[in-house]
């Protein structure tokens, strides 16, 4: 199933995002985690992309291995970082040969310590250009793109960011998956502006359950999202007790996602960080409409 058919239109889509582990032990752990997560019958598993070493190939390899091991639809992420258009084409050709059906097309982040993204010579500057390349030269792929309920950090304004998203969808994206957020009001306001801008592709909330304070604070601040002070201080009370922190986070997440589901989202995308425990606890409590 391509990404465009994974959400909405009569069914609620559940997807998981995993990343390629660096070691064999990490990969074993990942496959054990996916095995547990399969109990909730996901529509899709997506595999992130990083440059450096053999990471690019690892994304392709894992996307295929997960599809074949678990008989689940998969999508490979791809960014513009560090690649010329020729290298991107080569990677997309390989993805085609491997039978990969969908690509999550992203620009990628600037390297550590830099605030502005600079494409390599002969590379692409924005995700919209990557979507256009895929649509023109590899039209068989389903395509997902990223959206930002709290506005992308580099965007000069929410309006400019939304105009960019409209360009990405106009270039041919089938689905928009959002960055994580902890205040549903941000998502609801974003969805209103998205609809008002005439964008009609499924808008799928990406969620990162807040189950460990340090990790949640680190990732949230890296991507410029907000962590509500009340949630942070509730978790802080259990600073030395990871199990209690997880309990607080799971309870928060269940409340937050129930409200999202009631609001009519077409599906939900879990950033699972290669672990099953928190996501399984949340999904058990949520009883998604499947
Ligand atoms: P773009 O859509 O290109 O936007 C980047 C910035 O440029 C925005 O501020 C936008 O408003 C602006 N912009 C875009 N087009 C134009 C234009 N034509 N003119 C002027 N301004 C413009 N990162 C990874 O490295 N690997 C991954 O696998 C990965 N997966 C992700 C999955 C999801 C669901 C999400 C939400 C993010 C993911 N990221 C990943 C992070 C992502 O790469 C970063 O958030 C990155 O900073 C922006 O990527 P983008 O595709 O949204 O970029």
């Amino acid at each position: 199933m391509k990404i465009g058919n994974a959400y909405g239109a009569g069914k609620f889509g559940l997807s998981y995002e995993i990343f390629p582990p660096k070691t064999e032990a990490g990969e074993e752990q990942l496959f054990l985690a996916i095995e547990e997560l399969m109990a909730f019958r996901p529509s899709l598993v997506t595999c992130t992309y990083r440059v450096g070493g053999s990471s690019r190939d690892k994304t392709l390899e894992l996307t295929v291995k997960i599809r074949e091991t678990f008989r689940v639809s998969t999508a490979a992420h791809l960014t513009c970082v560090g690649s010329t258009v020729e290298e991107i084409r080569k990677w997309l050709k390989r993805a085609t040969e491997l039978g990969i059906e969908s690509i999550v097309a992203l620009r990628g982040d600037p390297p550590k310590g830099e605030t502005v993204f600079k494409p390599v010579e002969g590379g692409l500057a924005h995700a919209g250009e990557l979507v256009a390349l895929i649509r023109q030269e590899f039209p068989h792929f389903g395509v997902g793109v990223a959206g930002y309920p709290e506005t992308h950090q580099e965007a000069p304004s929410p309006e400019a960011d939304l105009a960019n998203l409209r360009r990405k969808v106009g270039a041919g994206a089938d689905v928009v998956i959002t960055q994580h957020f902890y205040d549903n009001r941000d998502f609801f306001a974003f969805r209103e502006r998205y609809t008002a801008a005439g964008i009609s592709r499924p808008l799928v909330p990406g969620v990162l359950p807040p189950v460990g304070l340090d990790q949640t604070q680190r990732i949230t601040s890296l991507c410029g999202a907000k962590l509500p002070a009340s949630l942070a201080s509730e978790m802080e009370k259990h600073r030395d007790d990871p199990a209690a922190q997880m309990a607080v986070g799971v309870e928060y997440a269940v409340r937050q996602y129930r409200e999202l589901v009631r609001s009519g989202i077409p599906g939900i995308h879990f950033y699972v960080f290669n672990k099953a425990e928190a996501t399984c606890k949340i999904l058990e409590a949520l009883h998604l409409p499947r």
Side-chain angles (χ1 to χ4, degrees), residues 16-20 30 34 45-48 62 66 272-274:
Y16 303 132
E17 179 173 314
I18 60 91
F19 63 86
L30 169 65
I34 300 177
V45 177
T46 79
C47 180
T48 64
L62 260 187
I66 292 168
V272 297
F273 276 87
N274 294 9

Side-chain angles (χ1 to χ4, degrees), residues 49-50 77 106-109 126-127 148 152 155 161 164 168:
Y49 176 100
R50 288 273 175 270
H77 294 213
L106 304 138
R107 186 202 65 180
D109 282 321
H126 299 295
Y148 299 87
H152 185 263
D161 205 28
N164 165 54
K168 290 198 277 195

Side-chain angles (χ1 to χ4, degrees), residues 8 13 24 28-29 31 35 70 94 97 110 117-118 163 170-171 198 220 234 259 276 280:
E24 266 181 41
E28 271 171 38
Q29 286 299 315
F31 276 71
E35 200 169 317
F70 298 103
R94 185 76 192 118
E97 286 159 10
F117 178 87
K118 290 193 205 88
T220 301
E234 195 51 40
E259 188 182 42
C280 287

Side-chain angles (χ1 to χ4, degrees), residues 238-260:
H238 306 285
R239 164 74 45 213
D240 300 319
D241 184 349
Q245 269 184 42
M246 182 178 283
V248 169
V250 166
E251 197 191 321
Y252 186 93
V254 170
R255 251 185 291 125
Q256 186 193 354
Y257 309 161
R258 268 203 190 121
E259 188 182 42
L260 288 174

Side-chain angles (χ1 to χ4, degrees), residues 3-289:
I3 196 166
N5 297 322
Y7 309 98
K11 69 166 174 283
F12 186 92
L14 169 66
S15 51
Y16 303 132
E17 179 173 314
I18 60 91
F19 63 86
K22 290 207 171 91
T23 61
E24 266 181 41
E27 191 165 319
E28 271 171 38
Q29 286 299 315
L30 169 65
F31 276 71
L32 289 173
I34 300 177
E35 200 169 317
E36 283 187 56
L37 290 162
M38 285 304 294
F40 300 93
R41 293 183 290 115
S43 333
L44 189 73
V45 177
T46 79
C47 180
T48 64
Y49 176 100
R50 288 273 175 270
V51 286
S54 58
S55 299
R56 292 179 169 122
D57 296 338
K58 196 73 195 156
T59 297
L60 293 173
E61 192 191 298
L62 260 187
T63 303
V64 172
K65 195 168 166 189
I66 292 168
R67 179 188 74 206
E68 290 179 352
T69 308
F70 298 103
R71 306 268 153 223
V72 63
S73 298
T74 54
H77 294 213
L78 171 63
T79 76
C80 309
V81 178
S83 296
T84 61
V85 169
E86 254 333 293
E87 286 164 337
I88 290 173
R89 277 197 188 105
K90 206 168 141 209
W91 191 94
L92 287 164
K93 275 187 196 140
R94 185 76 192 118
T96 303
E97 286 159 10
L98 291 168
I100 290 173
E101 291 183 305
S102 304
I103 305 292
V104 180
L106 304 138
R107 186 202 65 180
D109 282 321
K112 253 190 202 135
E114 292 179 29
T115 50
V116 178
F117 178 87
K118 290 193 205 88
V120 296
E121 211 181 311
L124 301 174
H126 299 295
E129 296 173 10
L130 180 57
V131 176
L133 173 81
I134 296 172
R135 269 290 159 265
Q136 280 156 24
E137 300 185 25
F138 300 86
H140 48 279
F141 284 123
V143 179
V145 291
Y148 299 87
E150 296 177 71
T151 303
H152 185 263
Q153 299 188 83
E154 293 163 48
S157 67
E159 293 72 28
D161 205 28
L162 190 66
N164 165 54
L165 184 53
R166 209 160 73 158
R167 268 196 295 271
K168 290 198 277 195
V169 172
D174 301 303
V175 166
V176 176
I177 299 176
T178 77
Q179 183 171 279
H180 70 285
F181 54 92
Y182 294 110
D183 185 338
N184 286 344
R185 287 173 300 184
D186 290 321
F187 176 79
F188 296 144
F190 177 63
R191 187 169 61 182
E192 260 177 45
R193 294 191 289 112
Y194 180 94
T195 309
I199 312 177
S200 58
R201 295 300 188 201
L203 177 64
V204 181
V207 295
L208 174 62
V211 291
L213 183 57
D214 289 340
Q215 188 203 43
T216 306
Q217 277 175 328
R218 186 168 39 83
I219 299 171
T220 301
S221 77
L222 267 180
C223 61
K226 289 194 301 272
L227 181 62
S230 57
L231 171 60
S233 74
E234 195 51 40
M235 291 177 86
E236 185 69 52
K237 283 185 199 158
H238 306 285
R239 164 74 45 213
D240 300 319
D241 184 349
Q245 269 184 42
M246 182 178 283
V248 169
V250 166
E251 197 191 321
Y252 186 93
V254 170
R255 251 185 291 125
Q256 186 193 354
Y257 309 161
R258 268 203 190 121
E259 188 182 42
L260 288 174
V261 172
R262 275 200 305 268
S263 82
I265 52 174
I268 192 162
H269 179 78
F270 276 83
Y271 298 104
V272 297
F273 276 87
N274 294 9
K275 298 208 171 87
E277 187 182 356
T279 303
C280 287
K281 283 187 168 145
I282 292 164
L283 287 171
E284 270 155 23
L286 262 185
H287 301 296
L288 290 177

